[in-house]
Amino acid sequence: MKIDIAKLPVAEAVVGFFIVVIIVTFIGAFSATGGGAEDDAVSGSPTPRETPDGGTPSPGGDGAGPIPVAMLDPNSFDPDEITVQAGSIVTFDITNEGAAFHNMHIAGPDGEYTQDFCDGSGDPCSNPNRVRGGGTATLTWEVPGSPGEVAFRCDFHPQQMTGKITIE
């Protein structure tokens, strides 16, 4: 039997291959960005996490130790509201419990972000400033001396992933 190469369905195979590649790429990108499951997010007050010694953290830079902050998918902080003491120096122990890249970026004293994506040279920013899923970071911040509120956010998700620090 003689095979005529010109009659093989090569064009259909190439088109099918590209369709499979596009679908696999879409699924991978969709999974890496949290999958769009924002409607499944649980709302309400965050529950304080336990410290390594088994107690709950004292939120506020009063010398009681670092403040744990989790970065979650889909795009949220836990807790997203933190209270600290004016004039103190606080350290945040940050854990990325999601799959997407996240970071923690605190606005300047005027409430504005001096950088669209922090690099550590301007506003206070997590170190490292790109935290992979499962990774950890720290952020040490000298709290302004007067009471007020300061915003923080994730530069990868600046519209959805935000929080507030109350200075007492």
Side-chain angles (χ1 to χ4, degrees):
M1 180 168 124
K2 193 172 185 181
I3 298 176
D4 186 1
I5 291 182
K7 293 186 178 183
L8 290 177
V10 173
E12 289 87 353
V14 170
V15 170
F17 173 77
F18 283 117
I19 289 172
V20 169
V21 168
I22 290 169
I23 290 170
V24 168
T25 302
F26 176 75
I27 291 170
F30 190 69
S31 297
T33 59
E38 292 181 40
D39 293 338
D40 297 336
V42 178
S43 61
S45 300
T47 303
R49 298 175 176 275
E50 287 190 5
T51 59
D53 63 2
T56 54
S58 174
D62 55 4
I67 300 169
V69 175
M71 300 181 294
L72 311 168
D73 294 341
N75 306 335
S76 64
F77 288 100
D78 180 22
D80 62 356
E81 293 188 13
I82 301 168
T83 302
V84 297
Q85 298 301 308
S88 63
I89 296 177
V90 297
T91 298
F92 299 97
D93 279 346
I94 305 163
T95 304
N96 184 348
E97 295 182 7
F101 277 97
H102 295 298
N103 72 358
M104 183 174 175
H105 181 178
I106 300 175
D110 60 357
E112 299 294 322
Y113 296 95
T114 61
Q115 302 169 304
D116 289 333
F117 192 93
C118 63
D119 63 10
S121 66
D123 304 326
C125 185
S126 58
N127 183 15
N129 64 349
R130 290 173 173 85
V131 185
R132 295 181 183 273
T136 61
T138 60
L139 191 162
T140 300
W141 179 47
E142 188 173 332
V143 179
S146 57
E149 291 182 354
V150 177
F152 65 94
R153 71 178 186 198
C154 169
D155 291 331
F156 293 95
H157 312 98
Q159 300 303 316
Q160 307 118 344
M161 197 167 170
T162 61
K164 175 179 72 171
I165 301 172
T166 301
I167 303 170
E168 294 181 335

